[in-house]
Amino acid sequence: MNDKSDNVVWHHATVTRERRQKLNGHRSFVLWFTGLSGSGKSTLAHAVEERLHRMNCRTFVFDGDNVRHGLCSDLGFGEEDRRENIRRIGEMTKLFVEAGVIAMTAFISPFRAERQMVRGLFEPGEFIEVYCDCSLEVCEQRDVKGLYAKARAGLIPNYTGISSPYEEPESPEVRIRTDSQSLEESVDAVLNYLKERQLVG
């Protein structure tokens, strides 16, 4: 899906990403939280953001449901629309990283090819895949909206984990067992990874 006109030319700003990072006092990158619905992606992403904010980092979380209310409100949940949803989020997070911000996303993003496509937008080390590894059984137990039950009853088509596949990451930068690790332990695991790679102080 690329109908970009030949008349569209990228404008190079004088305020560079490097200058923005220097002003912010930290590097910019994307933390891409992926996992089944109910695996704790949003909870963990916002908890990591809270910790980073207390460390004076500039951050922003893109939450799957929130983005579906605006930027991607015209998209459905079939494979093609899901692919476009992830493409848009990838391009948006790239802009935020250029702005010197630590961008975080909480999306199921079920297909490896789409996650790899987003990874390709960034330089090595700038895309950090955080796999919220949680059993389907626990995800269903956590489902206060009853969406899994509706999907099993055939009322919701293309529901990841039930009628649509989830392709788990083969080598994520961070893998967290959100069905057994506490939220605090999970946040620590993400922050330890960032500190080990000197992405944050």
Side-chain angles (χ1 to χ4, degrees):
M1 185 178 179
N2 190 350
D3 298 321
K4 184 173 66 177
S5 168
D6 291 337
N7 298 321
V8 176
V9 179
W10 186 268
H11 183 82
H12 293 278
T14 56
V15 178
T16 62
R17 173 181 169 185
E18 287 70 25
R19 292 175 66 189
R20 296 184 188 108
Q21 288 181 144
K22 185 176 181 180
L23 179 66
N24 292 343
H26 61 79
R27 292 173 60 187
S28 57
F29 49 88
V30 59
L31 285 167
W32 191 275
F33 294 85
T34 178
L36 291 169
S37 177
S39 62
K41 300 179 299 298
S42 293
T43 300
L44 179 55
H46 286 284
V48 169
E49 181 182 41
E50 179 64 36
R51 186 81 68 83
L52 289 171
H53 184 75
R54 292 178 184 178
M55 295 165 61
N56 296 317
C57 294
R58 297 183 187 274
T59 59
F60 193 84
V61 175
F62 293 89
D63 182 87
D65 283 349
N66 292 354
V67 169
R68 286 280 186 173
H69 277 90
L71 178 66
C72 297
S73 61
D74 59 322
L75 299 176
F77 289 89
E79 244 184 77
E80 187 174 337
D81 278 2
R82 284 186 163 197
R83 190 175 298 113
E84 173 61 13
N85 183 56
I86 297 305
R87 187 195 70 80
R88 292 183 192 181
I89 299 310
E91 294 290 350
M92 183 65 72
T93 54
K94 182 180 179 182
L95 291 173
F96 270 62
V97 170
E98 283 296 319
V101 174
I102 298 171
M104 288 171 272
T105 71
F107 294 86
I108 295 172
S109 48
F111 304 118
R112 292 190 192 106
E114 274 67 68
R115 298 194 301 267
Q116 188 60 37
M117 177 265 296
V118 177
R119 183 185 289 273
L121 297 173
F122 298 90
E123 296 297 321
E126 293 178 355
F127 180 92
I128 300 159
E129 191 173 44
V130 182
Y131 176 29
C132 295
D133 187 358
C134 185
S135 70
L136 180 59
E137 181 183 8
V138 170
C139 288
E140 291 194 66
Q141 290 171 2
R142 293 175 175 175
D143 182 21
V144 295
K145 298 176 185 176
L147 299 179
Y148 277 107
K150 289 180 180 179
R152 287 193 180 280
L155 300 176
I156 304 177
N158 303 312
Y159 199 81
T160 304
I162 305 299
S163 52
S164 185
Y166 177 78
E167 300 172 352
E168 69 175 63
E170 295 175 323
S171 53
E173 280 73 16
V174 184
R175 177 189 292 259
I176 297 174
R177 288 305 308 253
T178 53
D179 53 4
S180 58
Q181 291 178 263
S182 70
L183 181 58
E184 186 175 355
E185 288 171 336
S186 301
V187 173
D188 285 342
V190 176
L191 266 292
N192 287 341
Y193 177 90
L194 300 180
K195 289 176 180 176
E196 285 169 6
R197 281 146 189 83
Q198 300 182 325
L199 292 167
V200 297

